[in-house]
Structures are given as structure tokens and as C-alpha cells.
Amino acid sequence: MTLPRRAALLAPFIAILPLAVADAADPPATPSAVVAQAPASAWRAVPAQDLLVMTIEGGKRVLIQLAPQFGPRHVANIRALATAHWWDGTSINRVQDNYVVQWGDATEKKSLPTGLAPTSPADYVQPLGGMKAKLTPLPYPDPYARATGFIDGWPVAIEGDAAWLPHCYGMIGVGRNMSPDAGTGAELYTVIGQAPRQLDRNIAVVGRIVEGMTALTSLPRGSGDLGFYTDAERKLPIVSVRLASDLPQAEQPHVQVLDTGSASFADYLRLRANRKDDFYDWPAGGVDLCNAPVPVRLAP
């Protein structure tokens, strides 16, 4: 029998991923218990040059992990903007309920640092190439991509040899004007609601928030179009944005991500798809890409 195209694409991976419904004889467990019990060897440190430390008014801290392998030009620009202290004195300009929080220069007149890399819509996807060997696939249908899974601690969607980061909760995207403009990285947003996956491959996704999400989701919603704050509404100031690698050693945060190729992550995925703790009567029998967030923690 000929497999459908989606099934044929996933077939080589399904056998190697232990995501079948948990056996009734297995002891009760939860995804959070698996994460809590994961050995130190299952965690991977996030390089300091891949962490942004954003401080907003009131001293609240938001940590952002960048994904240079999935958005190299945009991430290079973001690092340059942080090194130039470009975001200092800018603001959070948009909070749209169940959608995004967006920040940058509200006037759109602040000069950018020289030497930023040019970007284009071609930057929204990256060649899968050698990353395919690191893929931990999800063997479930996805309405927005031929295949999905995890690579180097990131959720990824795949079409042929193209891979991209999806618009899941907490992911960081780059604001842009009408195509072919692809944004420089100066205007950023994070998803605060149901995953708007229809934006995938239409905007650059360059990272995720790993700490401080509640500082953004708790903000007042903007009353203007698309949730932008009106002139009568106060835009929350951004005090500073720094690369962790540019901070004094004692002030650098240390973040770890669960290795998506580890046995602990395989157990975590199995239980995300098939909850068997006492609260659940019926396991779902599957999980979508955005409902299996990769566990992240501050280093103990």
C-alpha cells in the first residue's frame, strides 16, 4: 500500500521515537516529574552570547534565548543592537490580547547602528541539512507543516529540506512592514496567546522567552488597532537590553535546556501525549508541536 505523502515523510522516524501510549503497568508519572528527575547529563547550557537580558521599568527581568541556527542574519543584527544599547529608552508599544506583545522604537525614527545585515523573506527558513541527524520527530499530523519535531532544544517545522521555528507561545518574532521587508530585528514581539501558526514562514522567528513571561502577559492591553497603545496610553519603558556575554560574570544568568535527544525528553514527550496520572481518565494519544514546550530552567 502506498503511504500518503505526510505518512511517508514521517515513516523513517516513527520507529525510533518512543511516544506510544504508555503501558498500563508503568508507574504513574507526569511530564513535570520526568523533568524534575532528569539527570544533570540531560541538560544543555545556553551560551551567554545567545541570551538577551531585557530589563523593563520596575526592575523586572525578561530573558530571551536566541536561535542563531534558525535566523542567523536577524540574530546577528539583534546582537549588534544589544551591543549598541539601541533598545535602552525604547518601549513596549503593543499588547494584543491572545496574540502578541511587541516592543521597539514607537517613533520608528531612532537611527539604527551601522553595519546591520540585510534580510529578506528567504531568511524565514533554513536548510535542514546536517541538522536532520539531530531531529527528534513528532509522529503526529500537523496542519501547518509536513513534519515537526525538535532539534538542538528547539521546536521545528519541516517541509522538504527547509526548517523553521513555529509561532508557539513565548516564541520571539521580528516585526516587519509589507513584504519584501523582513525586518531588521529592532522591532520584536512574543506570542502571548494561542499559537498563530498561520504566521509561520511569513515572519522571522528568532528565539523564545525563557524567564519573565508574566511580566509581559500581565500588561494592560492596548486599545488601538491591533492592540497598539494610543497616544493617550502609557507605553512601558525598556530600561536596557544586554547580551548576557556583555555583562560582568557575576551578573550573567545561566540557563539550561533539556536535551531534546535525551531519554528524559523522550519520556517527557511520551507523557505529554499520553497523560496517565490520576487526574486523567483518557490519554490524548498525541500532542502538537506547541503543546510540548521544551523544558528550560535556570542552572541549579
Side-chain angles (χ1 to χ4, degrees), residues 241-268:
V241 177
R242 299 287 184 272
L243 284 171
S245 55
D246 289 341
L247 297 175
Q249 185 67 34
E251 298 177 18
Q252 292 183 13
H254 298 280
V255 174
Q256 295 178 332
V257 176
L258 192 64
D259 181 358
T260 50
S262 68
S264 293
F265 187 73
D267 285 341
Y268 166 81

Side-chain angles (χ1 to χ4, degrees), residues 147-226:
T148 60
F150 303 87
I151 295 175
D152 285 338
W154 293 99
V156 293
I158 298 167
E159 178 83 37
D161 193 49
W164 62 93
L165 297 183
H167 275 80
C168 298
Y169 181 84
M171 298 296 278
I172 298 289
V174 175
R176 67 168 175 85
N177 292 316
M178 298 300 289
S179 188
D181 178 68
T184 60
E187 194 81 13
L188 298 175
Y189 64 87
T190 188
V191 177
I192 63 167
Q194 184 174 353
R197 293 282 306 281
Q198 73 278 2
L199 295 177
D200 290 3
R201 291 185 288 179
N202 287 288
I203 299 181
V205 181
V206 295
R208 63 184 162 206
I209 291 181
V210 296
E211 185 193 67
M213 190 68 174
T214 56
L216 302 178
T217 57
S218 61
L219 292 174
R221 277 38 179 167
S223 64
D225 292 344
L226 302 177

Side-chain angles (χ1 to χ4, degrees), residues 23-285:
D23 191 284
D26 290 345
T30 64
S32 59
V34 170
V35 174
Q37 296 168 17
S41 60
W43 294 92
R44 298 289 178 263
V46 176
Q49 66 267 26
D50 290 346
L51 279 178
L52 282 182
V53 182
M54 181 166 73
T55 304
I56 58 179
E57 186 181 69
K60 294 181 179 179
R61 184 177 79 169
V62 178
L63 296 183
I64 297 169
Q65 181 188 3
L66 301 173
Q69 64 271 58
F70 292 102
R73 291 186 180 88
H74 285 96
V75 169
N77 287 349
I78 290 168
R79 287 173 173 157
L81 289 158
T83 299
H85 302 180
W86 187 85
W87 280 287
D88 297 13
T90 60
S91 59
I92 294 172
N93 308 318
R94 177 188 183 191
V95 182
Q96 186 173 1
D97 192 51
N98 196 35
Y99 201 51
V100 299
V101 172
Q102 188 166 329
W103 60 91
D105 173 33
T107 70
E108 299 186 7
K109 296 179 180 179
K110 187 172 183 178
S111 298
L112 296 170
T114 59
L116 295 185
T119 62
S120 77
D123 294 312
Y124 301 159
V125 301
Q126 298 299 318
L128 186 59
M131 293 192 293
K132 186 175 182 179
K134 302 179 181 180
L135 176 66
T136 297
L138 271 180
Y140 306 115
D142 184 278
Y144 297 97
R146 292 292 179 183
T148 60
F150 303 87
I151 295 175
D152 285 338
W154 293 99
V156 293
I158 298 167
E159 178 83 37
D161 193 49
W164 62 93
L165 297 183
H167 275 80
C168 298
Y169 181 84
M171 298 296 278
I172 298 289
V174 175
R176 67 168 175 85
N177 292 316
M178 298 300 289
S179 188
D181 178 68
T184 60
E187 194 81 13
L188 298 175
Y189 64 87
T190 188
V191 177
I192 63 167
Q194 184 174 353
R197 293 282 306 281
Q198 73 278 2
L199 295 177
D200 290 3
R201 291 185 288 179
N202 287 288
I203 299 181
V205 181
V206 295
R208 63 184 162 206
I209 291 181
V210 296
E211 185 193 67
M213 190 68 174
T214 56
L216 302 178
T217 57
S218 61
L219 292 174
R221 277 38 179 167
S223 64
D225 292 344
L226 302 177
F228 280 96
Y229 289 129
T230 66
D231 290 340
E233 294 170 319
R234 185 172 183 270
K235 302 172 181 66
L236 188 70
I238 294 174
V239 177
S240 65
V241 177
R242 299 287 184 272
L243 284 171
S245 55
D246 289 341
L247 297 175
Q249 185 67 34
E251 298 177 18
Q252 292 183 13
H254 298 280
V255 174
Q256 295 178 332
V257 176
L258 192 64
D259 181 358
T260 50
S262 68
S264 293
F265 187 73
D267 285 341
Y268 166 81
L269 276 185
R270 174 174 58 83
L271 290 168
R272 291 290 298 195
N274 298 285
R275 294 297 293 263
K276 57 175 294 186
D277 44 291
D278 292 341
F279 182 82
Y280 287 84
D281 294 325
W282 294 96

